[in-house]
Amino acid sequence: MSSSSVPDGKKLVRSPSGLRMVPESGAFHSPFSLEEPHWVPDKEVPRRFEVCDRGHHESRHHCRRCGRCFCDKCCSKKLPLPRMCFVDPVRQCSACSLVSQREGEFYDKQLKVLLGGGTFIVTLGTSDKMETMTCRLSNNHRYLFLDGESHFEVELTRISSIQVLTEGSSPGGAGSRASGLLVQYKPMGSQDSQTLRLDTAPDHKGAAQWLAAMHKVILIRILLLLMLILLLSLVCSSQ
């Protein structure tokens, strides 16, 4: 594998799957990023493709997202895969391409909203003190920055749960709307959980848009978990 350094702390890397623009230091990897999978060796591929049951006289390709081998028809789509930092669209199987399409919408729209931030009434732990602060995602996607009269940061990898708060009818119902966020996390250097509550500030439309984008992050995490379960079941059934 060869690489050449480029500005802004990133480097261009050539892998079997294509060109990737990755951080020079692993410490700056986005928590949204995915590791490039190992390709399933040709000798370990079943005599017939498990997805479509075609024989290996068909052209075969490896999906750049899951690393499994498919016939040409089942692995024909080339889509952007920003979570693996590919420069160009790459070949993906039918199942992975559906996930990548959903993620593409997040990168094109919701991620920009999260980086822009929203204004909230912030309460930390059981304190009665509330402060108006701007909450935004850091440029490297690793922290939530909260800025007001004070400033503090929450590292995303130390968040154990995120709940979108709603008001109106039942959560998710037609009359409900996102009104805040409840975050459970462990501060740096501590093993004790801390609660962070963000409520939308009056007359701040940006806060509602920011919450909607964060809700999309949660939905994508659930979708990825379901896809992982599906892929594991396919692998087990082929053995």
Side-chain angles (χ1 to χ4, degrees):
M1 181 182 295
S2 63
S3 64
S4 60
S5 296
V6 296
D8 300 327
K10 293 188 177 182
K11 59 184 178 181
L12 191 62
V13 175
R14 182 179 296 278
S15 74
S17 298
L19 289 174
R20 302 170 65 217
M21 187 71 74
V22 301
E24 289 186 336
S25 171
F28 296 104
H29 273 294
S30 165
F32 299 140
S33 65
L34 294 174
E35 292 294 329
E36 190 176 2
H38 294 292
W39 284 11
V40 174
D42 288 347
K43 63 181 180 180
E44 295 181 11
V45 176
R47 293 181 60 186
R48 305 190 72 82
F49 295 106
E50 66 263 30
V51 174
C52 62
D53 199 39
R54 291 187 177 90
H56 284 178
H57 62 279
E58 302 276 349
S59 298
R60 67 178 71 178
H61 303 282
H62 283 86
C63 172
R64 271 52 173 176
R65 183 174 183 124
C66 67
R68 297 163 64 219
C69 193
F70 298 86
C71 73
D72 182 69
K73 185 175 181 180
C74 292
C75 195
S76 61
K77 294 185 177 180
K78 290 188 176 182
L79 296 171
L81 189 47
R83 293 193 68 190
M84 289 186 188
C85 305
F86 283 111
V87 175
D88 301 308
V90 292
R91 190 182 293 271
Q92 299 176 53
C93 68
S94 299
C96 287
S97 65
L98 291 176
V99 180
S100 293
Q101 286 174 345
R102 290 287 299 274
E103 292 176 351
E105 180 184 349
F106 166 72
Y107 272 85
D108 291 340
K109 298 178 182 179
Q110 282 79 24
L111 183 57
K112 294 178 181 178
V113 174
L114 293 175
L115 292 171
T119 303
F120 297 90
I121 306 298
V122 178
T123 307
L124 186 61
T126 57
S127 172
D128 293 331
K129 181 181 178 181
M130 296 183 293
E131 183 178 346
T132 300
M133 308 183 80
T134 298
C135 181
R136 67 177 180 86
L137 185 67
S138 64
N139 290 334
N140 61 10
H141 312 158
R142 295 179 61 84
Y143 298 90
L144 288 180
F145 287 162
L146 292 104
D147 291 291
E149 293 183 2
S150 58
H151 168 86
F152 68 94
E153 306 169 359
V154 177
E155 189 173 0
L156 263 61
T157 56
R158 299 186 67 83
I159 293 177
S160 57
S161 69
I162 298 180
Q163 178 186 354
V164 176
L165 305 175
T166 59
E167 62 181 22
S169 63
S170 59
S176 66
R177 68 179 183 86
S179 61
L181 199 69
L182 197 63
V183 179
Q184 294 283 343
Y185 73 101
K186 292 181 179 179
M188 290 295 294
S190 174
Q191 293 302 314
D192 297 326
S193 292
Q194 180 78 271
T195 301
L196 176 69
R197 180 176 178 128
L198 291 77
D199 292 289
T200 54
D203 302 323
H204 280 280
K205 185 182 295 185
Q209 295 174 340
W210 197 91
L211 286 175
M214 181 57 71
H215 189 228
K216 178 71 73 172
V217 174
I218 297 172
L219 292 177
I220 286 177
R221 289 178 63 183
I222 295 173
L223 178 62
L224 287 174
L225 179 60
L226 293 175
M227 288 302 303
L228 178 60
I229 294 172
L230 174 61
L231 289 173
L232 287 174
S233 65
L234 289 173
V235 171
C236 292
S237 64
S238 65
Q239 294 177 346

